[in-house]
Amino acid sequence: MEGSSPLLGPVGNYFGAPGAPHAEVLPVGDYTFSATRIVRHSEIEGRREVRLPKSACYFLMLYLADASHSDINPDGTLESERIYRAGTLCLVDLENGAAIHLHTALDAIAIAISKGLLLEVSRMPNAPAASSLRSKRAIDDPTMESLGLSLRAQVESGKAAESKSFKHLAIAICAHLLQTYGQWASGRPSDFGTLSAVQIDRAQEFIVSRLREKISGQEVATSLGLSEIEFEEGLINAVGYDLIELINRTRLENAKRLLEARHLSIRSVAEDCGFDSERSFVQAFSRCTGMPPDAWRRSLRH
């Protein structure tokens, strides 16, 4: 890693909002932390693609209002549309850059954190000794939501770069991310073990009982008598994917069962399984099975 210059600069430039409130700081030593308030109204015309360049940093979006967008693959194809509720976050590594296609308006705090800064924070007394962060999408994180709202006030004041509290806030955010989403150099999986098959079945039963509702990791963990981090890490260690993927798979398996009842419409199945729209259900189902739900239903007759 080289230098201490901003790795992305004003992030608003990439979102078609060059005048967006922006602040950056060197909270510990040589590496940067930056935050930008991004607002893009749905009625504003222009490119809906947002492309972030390769950088030695992590990029975090904290959504202040509901939004949706699709990841753009390296070959230019779109992933399924994903809904990001207000208060959720998306965390990605920009080692290879990132690109999204916006489907809605966007109101968010965009945070860029140098990987060098995370190493600096991890070496501070009593800090989590994580070596890197795991990518996360559409994750409920009340702590980050609270920190993000404080950050928003700092950035919008126009005086954040001069404020000691902005530095402290940046360090607190880094420490929280390392603690919650960090990958330990010593091998964190051994610290938490894995969920048993019985625990995973119970988690799926809880999800099925709440398919029409917004489900948080804390709620699922509590139903199993575990902390949220024990559940999240135990799930990943057991099956190799996180809660969002478990919910998606559970919804799709339940959808298959409902599709066998031929009197139910595709829209009804989508609603009963907790999808935000018939379109998002069809996309997710097609990606999973290789065919849309109506074709899958017809295939049951043969």
Side-chain angles (χ1 to χ4, degrees):
M1 244 173 283
E2 299 180 359
S4 59
S5 60
L7 295 167
L8 290 177
V11 172
N13 292 337
Y14 302 103
F15 284 83
H22 172 80
E24 54 191 52
V25 69
L26 305 177
V28 179
D30 296 329
Y31 295 95
T32 57
F33 174 100
S34 76
T36 308
R37 173 73 192 286
I38 303 293
V39 178
R40 276 191 51 148
H41 300 291
S42 57
E43 63 269 18
I44 294 178
E45 302 221 352
R47 289 187 309 158
R48 290 184 173 271
E49 288 188 4
V50 176
R51 294 185 179 274
L52 299 175
K54 296 179 180 180
S55 300
C57 72
Y58 290 97
F59 185 76
L60 184 149
M61 289 271 283
L62 177 66
Y63 298 85
L64 303 178
D66 291 356
S68 73
H69 53 76
S70 300
D71 289 345
I72 302 176
N73 295 316
D75 64 1
T77 59
L78 293 184
E79 292 285 341
S80 298
E81 180 180 353
R82 188 187 291 266
I83 307 297
Y84 294 84
R85 298 298 186 190
T88 63
L89 63 80
C90 177
L91 173 66
V92 296
D93 186 342
L94 291 185
E95 180 180 6
N96 296 310
I100 61 173
H101 179 91
L102 294 170
H103 295 286
T104 64
L106 181 64
D107 186 354
I109 300 290
I111 301 170
I113 304 172
S114 166
K115 291 182 178 180
L117 173 58
L118 287 174
L119 288 175
E120 289 177 331
V121 172
S122 72
R123 292 166 182 158
M124 297 176 71
N126 302 316
S131 58
S132 58
L133 300 178
R134 290 177 286 111
S135 293
K136 290 288 182 179
R137 288 175 170 78
I139 295 294
D140 280 304
D141 188 332
T143 299
M144 189 61 233
E145 182 179 13
S146 178
L147 292 169
L149 292 176
S150 297
L151 189 66
R152 168 186 173 180
Q154 290 270 346
V155 172
E156 291 181 341
S157 73
K159 301 177 180 178
E162 309 162 11
S163 170
K164 287 185 178 180
S165 60
F166 183 54
K167 287 187 176 183
H168 295 320
L169 191 55
I171 293 170
I173 288 171
C174 290
H176 171 69
L177 295 176
L178 287 168
Q179 176 64 44
T180 309
Y181 309 113
Q183 299 188 81
W184 264 236
S186 60
R188 185 173 180 177
S190 62
D191 298 335
F192 292 92
T194 63
L195 295 186
S196 68
V198 172
Q199 287 174 310
I200 294 173
D201 286 343
R202 285 173 54 197
Q204 288 180 302
E205 289 172 2
F206 179 84
I207 292 168
V208 169
S209 73
R210 302 279 296 278
L211 279 181
R212 283 177 170 264
E213 304 173 32
K214 186 177 179 181
I215 304 169
S216 71
Q218 183 60 64
E219 290 172 324
V220 182
T222 299
S223 74
L224 299 177
L226 301 173
S227 70
E228 185 171 6
I229 194 168
E230 285 174 327
F231 168 70
E232 287 276 5
E233 294 296 329
L235 177 64
I236 290 172
N237 295 337
V239 297
Y241 50 79
D242 61 13
L243 175 62
I244 296 296
E245 182 65 18
L246 179 64
I247 291 173
N248 287 339
R249 292 183 181 217
T250 302
R251 283 178 168 153
L252 289 170
E253 286 304 312
N254 202 58
K256 289 178 182 178
R257 181 180 62 80
L258 293 178
L259 284 169
E260 295 178 7
R262 304 192 199 285
H263 65 280
L264 292 176
S265 67
I266 301 301
R267 181 181 295 276
S268 295
V269 173
E271 292 175 351
D272 288 345
C273 293
F275 287 91
D276 292 286
S277 67
E278 182 177 346
R279 179 187 174 211
S280 65
F281 167 56
V282 171
Q283 288 178 331
F285 193 92
S286 300
R287 189 173 174 184
C288 173
T289 64
M291 63 181 76
D294 53 352
W296 188 89
R297 171 184 270 169
R298 288 195 299 271
S299 73
L300 298 178
R301 302 173 187 173
H302 302 292

